[in-house]
Amino acid sequence: KPIYVFHGISSQNLFRKYEASFDNTMRRFKDLSDPARIDVKPDRIIVRATRTDGSLETALRSLGVPNERLKELALLNGKELNEPIAANTLLKVVGKGS
């Protein structure tokens, strides 16, 4: 059974001011018992090579990245969508957990 730890951080002189907020927030979590939420496999980052020259956007689309995740994957790769990408460039994409 995984145990998660959350930390609230502040400067020492402000700790008392925020202590109640930290404490209140952390005590609101309930036990998770829904199997559909517990038995979820994490998505994985997969490194794939591009096949042709083009923009990052074109390369990500050719690797099957959906439109709504293009900006996210550009950020993951540290690039802009309009940035030119050479063939055989290694890019990170996200694959569903299995």
Side-chain angles (χ1 to χ4, degrees), residues 26-80:
M26 294 303 116
R27 292 184 190 280
R28 287 187 184 175
F29 287 100
K30 296 178 183 170
D31 286 339
L32 183 59
S33 59
D34 181 353
R37 295 191 182 270
I38 294 172
D39 299 329
V40 174
K41 301 290 184 202
D43 290 346
R44 305 280 183 188
I45 294 177
I46 303 165
V47 177
R48 307 242 337 252
T50 60
R51 294 179 184 231
T52 59
D53 295 340
S55 69
L56 176 64
E57 182 175 355
T58 303
L60 291 173
R61 286 179 192 273
S62 74
L63 295 173
V65 174
N67 290 343
E68 61 273 4
R69 296 198 79 181
L70 289 171
K71 288 182 182 179
E72 175 187 355
L73 274 284
L75 180 64
L76 179 65
N77 284 283
K79 301 185 182 310
E80 298 291 330

Side-chain angles (χ1 to χ4, degrees), residues 6 10 69:
F6 295 91
S10 77
R69 296 198 79 181

